[in-house]
Amino acid sequence: MSRYFTEEHEWVEVDGDVATVGITEYAQSQLGDVVFVEVPEEGRELTKGDEAAVVESVKAASDVYTPASGTVVEGNAELEASPALVNEDPEGDGWFFRLTLSDPSELEGLMDADKYAAFVAKL
């Protein structure tokens, strides 16, 4: 599996033609305690850069964007019942949605873990 990162602080992990998307440790730390999450419905068509999900914390509300185009195959329903999962395990069980990629080449411009760490260090 390959993991990529966006400048908007989403991560995407690719396994075959399915991508799992969430927010990074850095993003959740900036948001603070997450109190609400809305994930996209199965079957929703997304284009790279679309607002795909919403996360609200005690500090702010933020959109989660899709790093690539595709069709949602699963939204993480556990987040709606337990939004704190985003804080507890943002880059694991706190994922937001999975989609079947329609154009995997859209991931080519994203950062790997080292580049993302260097990006965050400059913030």
Side-chain angles (χ1 to χ4, degrees):
M1 286 190 273
S2 301
R3 186 169 278 211
Y4 304 94
F5 300 86
T6 71
E7 289 186 359
E8 290 77 27
H9 308 288
E10 289 96 14
W11 59 265
V12 55
E13 189 167 271
V14 181
D15 186 9
D17 66 346
V18 175
T20 301
V21 180
I23 65 170
T24 64
E25 177 71 39
Y26 176 82
Q28 76 80 26
S29 72
Q30 296 301 299
L31 285 168
D33 293 335
V34 174
V35 295
F36 174 80
V37 175
E38 181 181 323
V39 298
E41 292 183 15
E42 182 179 337
R44 181 172 167 198
E45 296 286 330
L46 295 171
T47 301
K48 182 177 182 172
D50 282 354
E51 296 171 0
V54 175
V55 59
E56 294 180 10
S57 72
V58 293
K59 292 183 184 178
S62 184
D63 293 317
V64 177
Y65 302 95
T66 185
S69 302
T71 303
V72 176
V73 293
E74 183 181 8
N76 189 350
E78 286 189 46
L79 293 185
E80 292 179 348
S82 234
L85 272 175
V86 174
N87 297 114
E88 294 163 11
D89 192 13
E91 295 188 32
D93 289 339
W95 58 275
F96 281 70
F97 62 94
R98 291 189 172 116
L99 73 158
T100 301
L101 297 170
S102 57
D103 185 2
S105 70
E106 291 180 334
L107 300 172
E108 292 174 5
L110 302 181
M111 296 176 273
D112 63 17
D114 291 338
K115 287 182 182 173
Y116 180 72
F119 173 74
V120 170
K122 293 178 185 176
L123 299 178

